[in-house]
Amino acid sequence: MKSNIPTRSAAMPVAQRRFRAPALLSLAVLIAPLAMAQTTVTIDLAKPGIPVSPTFYGLMTEEINYSYDGGLYAELVRNRVFKDDDKAPVHWSVVQDAGGSAAIALDRRYPVPATALTTSLRLDAAHATQGHRVGIANDGYWGIPVKPNTRYRASFYARTAGAGGVPLTVSIEGADGKTVYAQAEGGRIDGEWKRYSVTLTTAADVKPTADARLVIATESPGTVWFNQVSLFPPTYKDRPNGNRVDLMQKLVDMKPRFLRFPGGNYLEGVTVDTRFKWKETLGPVAQRPGHPGTWGYRSSDGMGLLEFLEWTEDMKAEPVLAVFAGYALNGENVPAGPALQPFVQEALDEIEYVTGDVSTTWGARRARDGHPAPFKLRYVEIGNEDGFDKKKTYDGRYTQFHDAIKAKYPRLKLISTVNGKDWLGQQQKVTSRVPDLVDEHYYYKPMQMMHDAARYDSYERNGPKVFIGEWASQEGEPTTDLHSALADAAFMTGMERNADVVEMACYAPLLVNANPGGVQWRYNLVGYDAQASYGSPSYYAQKMFSNYLGDVSLPVTAQKVSTQTWQEAARKETPQVLPPAQEVPTMFFSATRSAQRGEIYLKVVNAIGSAQTVQVDLAGAAKVAAEGKAIVLSSAQKEDTNTIAEPTKVVPVTSKASGLGKRFSYSFAPYSVTVLVLSSK
């Protein structure tokens, strides 16, 4: 990252320091088009072009903005194992109809045997009688989503104090208790701990709502202890511990080539002890203790290592595995040498879990967990954002990991979190080994992102490849607006034109729960609440670029492109110094070719509010069809965006494009991202 990257949200002070850098005060933009000249673009088909990595566009994920719990991970019960707060059963409440009374409290006296379930919720149903129920209720992640004709899987552990038995009912009902959407008998609870499960089915005429709760109640007096109370809706591909269908479909539709996981800050933890301990995320969810997250809320670890791998499998993507490398967010550091060796071994074990056959220790464990076949793995990232390590120990730590991994897995490509030309990558260097790739992170306001679109034009061609592991234009909240999408697309044209430098790229953050309290990072790609989800304009720009990507990047030259003058504001630390004004193009271009499909994908960004006509010349083309296809993302105002209420305000429109050929003119709409699909068969 560069020194003018905006900071992450101040809402979470533990993690915000990861992006502590001088911020821009304001931006001023003056459009100065060269009205006297027409822009011309030449695509040189006589040259072989640059091979495009098969893993060029992918996804980056971490637990932020309730991305997993309360987001992609489909569990609907919040605080299902009663560890989100040490003092109170948050998100749980007492249910007591008129004439009944009860109390609830956390209880650590009776852990569930042979599990990680150590804290239970005790219901004292002293005054439950026939027709006067009492019980417990969970409010979910800003509500429990109710949909018509839907089957929900509810389960829980329970025990009672005596042998008489306490009958329970399980229901999904309105938050006020007046409407019951689905209900089933939960069983008679006797004696020691036992797991109970029921199916709840809503009627076909139920009106969708998120103003609902899960209730477990009884009309019999007694004391009942509960643990790991769970409610799952239908999941993507019906995985029993699976993902939310609508969010998965949006990600699948992007056709990502890889998934970088488990994070980000989430990988490191606030302390070494609160890092992502992958071995504790394996097996039945009752065996997973969970851990404190890095953005102010606890992680259930329902999204464990195998779930991440199955997520990639469901998207037909590859894993990019980030391994903990001895550095935590609070600055805690494990130096290279004997102290670091257990963490190196932990990484080797993790790689074996991913790739080993059933004859290996950890490959056999993966098979026992339900996935006998190994996963394909080509990339391993060592740590995350280690440029923030003030002790500057990454060179030694990287070397120890590098040598151990390469000795056992010589074909793996290893990614360094420093040595990039971003601000963060320059804070310290890896000098003792040469990484296969370096990870660069960029978070800019839209005009700066457009200004930076040519950054890779000047990179050396013979060094390590670049993995742009986190990047985004930042305008529009909680998901970005069209202006950000234009800047994102401009930057991606630079990536594609420099495919000999850039091997992989993934936007961040990926997901955000748009409810108040659900947002820790202000600018995100996909938004949702309990009931619905939507893609930002940036999401659609990403989808367009990923869906229409050839295997070769073609040489593109543009002439007579109009510019806009961008005046970066003075920085806070030197307010008296005004940086020089910069000329930023109003249009951006890239082109790739798919030999298999016989198509050329010309991508054009028009960043201003008036149409611009471009003369396109496909030099050396043998044949170009007169008709093709245009996919256009545009809107009247660059501030336009999508929301829960208006999820499709700014979306791509596909239409027939006529008048094409080896040489043609095309008018590009105001504030638009366009993909022209040209047939060269």
Side-chain angles (χ1 to χ4, degrees), residues 48-61:
I50 303 168
V52 175
S53 166
T55 54
F56 199 80
Y57 290 123
L59 303 178
M60 183 272 177
T61 180

Side-chain angles (χ1 to χ4, degrees), residues 309-347:
L309 292 166
E310 290 174 334
W311 177 3
T312 66
E313 189 173 63
D314 288 346
M315 297 190 299
K316 296 181 172 60
E318 295 183 24
V320 172
L321 179 66
V323 298
F324 178 76
Y327 175 71
L329 287 167
N330 68 349
E332 188 178 355
N333 192 297
V334 182
L340 189 64
Q341 190 55 37
F343 299 97
V344 175
Q345 187 60 51
E346 190 175 275

Side-chain angles (χ1 to χ4, degrees), residues 283-304:
V285 291
Q287 304 288 349
R288 307 180 190 184
H291 71 285
T294 53
W295 291 94
Y297 57 94
R298 184 175 178 81
S299 174
S300 73
D301 283 336
M303 181 73 77

Side-chain angles (χ1 to χ4, degrees), residues 174-197:
D176 59 5
K178 295 180 179 179
T179 304
V180 175
Y181 298 105
Q183 183 170 291
E185 296 299 319
R188 179 176 289 273
I189 312 305
D190 283 303
E192 297 306 311
W193 287 109
K194 180 181 175 182
R195 185 174 181 269
Y196 300 82
S197 61

